[in-house]
Amino acid sequence: MKGAIFFSGKYGSTEQYANWIGEATGLPVFDIKDADADPSKFDFIILGSSIIYFKLTIRKWAKANLSKLKGRSRILFSVSGAGPSDKLERWVAASFPSLLLKQMEHVALGGRLDHTKVSWTIRLSLYIGSLINPDPAASKEERYGFDHVDKASIESIVQMIQRFQATQETA
């Protein structure tokens, strides 16, 4: 079975994870903005997306390609500053077709916030948000940035892909 990784990111963390997963599994990696990013050419799909303003950046592309993704999508990895939580699952559910979510495993990966790469409006929004955030650690990260990108965190995704490939080969 032929598989591929399709990702949407804004500042580089999601692309880094997609490339690491591609290297570990041998799957090709496509930015959804690439002309060659056609999920209908593959038997199974891994989707990766940044979360910005509480929404998956891949959401519009996924909705536009719903018929090509249906039955093929296996894993969704999201990249953000929010760790695995009910809050994160609500953001994902609110911004992604439920038809796809039902057929996929969701894995939350840590992101990166580098204030030098974001606009002043985003920095201002983060600062204001930090003032009302009841979590002191999260408030500090909103103000000063963070880097939770960790190659080791892709291991569960790599194992899921390997199990899926092994199951398909024996079927």
Side-chain angles (χ1 to χ4, degrees):
M1 291 196 78
K2 260 178 26 175
I5 301 162
F6 291 81
F7 76 91
S8 169
K10 186 150 174 127
Y11 300 110
S13 301
T14 307
E15 180 176 12
Q16 180 66 70
Y17 281 123
N19 287 329
W20 283 337
I21 295 165
E23 290 167 8
T25 62
L27 296 178
V29 177
F30 297 93
D31 185 321
I32 62 166
K33 293 180 266 183
D34 293 345
D36 295 334
D38 181 0
S40 67
K41 295 179 181 178
F42 300 93
D43 300 313
F44 70 94
I45 306 295
I46 310 306
L47 299 176
S49 180
S50 298
I51 295 180
I52 298 185
Y53 289 121
F54 319 113
K55 294 180 181 152
L56 292 166
T57 59
I58 203 169
R59 70 189 180 284
K60 292 178 183 175
W61 181 86
K63 289 175 186 171
N65 288 281
L66 189 58
S67 64
K68 294 177 182 179
L69 296 171
K70 185 179 174 188
R72 290 184 171 98
S73 303
R74 300 290 179 240
I75 300 168
L76 168 67
F77 66 90
S78 63
V79 180
S80 72
S85 66
D86 291 339
K87 172 178 68 175
L88 177 64
E89 293 303 324
R90 285 192 303 274
W91 296 346
V92 170
S95 65
F96 210 67
S98 62
L99 178 70
L100 290 181
L101 281 177
K102 290 177 185 174
Q103 67 187 33
M104 303 173 79
E105 294 281 336
H106 173 233
V107 178
L109 300 175
R112 176 183 301 123
L113 173 60
D114 178 349
H115 281 278
T116 66
K117 293 185 178 182
V118 299
S119 69
W120 70 270
T121 55
I122 292 175
R123 284 194 305 271
L124 180 61
S125 297
L126 288 165
Y127 180 77
I128 292 168
S130 76
L131 296 175
I132 59 173
N133 192 331
D135 180 345
S139 176
K140 183 177 178 182
E141 288 184 342
E142 288 171 336
R143 270 182 273 142
Y144 302 109
F146 55 86
D147 188 350
H148 300 300
V149 175
D150 178 18
K151 187 174 184 178
S153 66
I154 68 165
E155 191 55 37
S156 65
I157 296 170
V158 170
Q159 289 175 0
M160 283 188 261
I161 293 169
Q162 290 170 340
R163 280 193 306 270
F164 177 71
Q165 289 173 318
T167 303
Q168 297 304 308
E169 289 173 4
T170 60

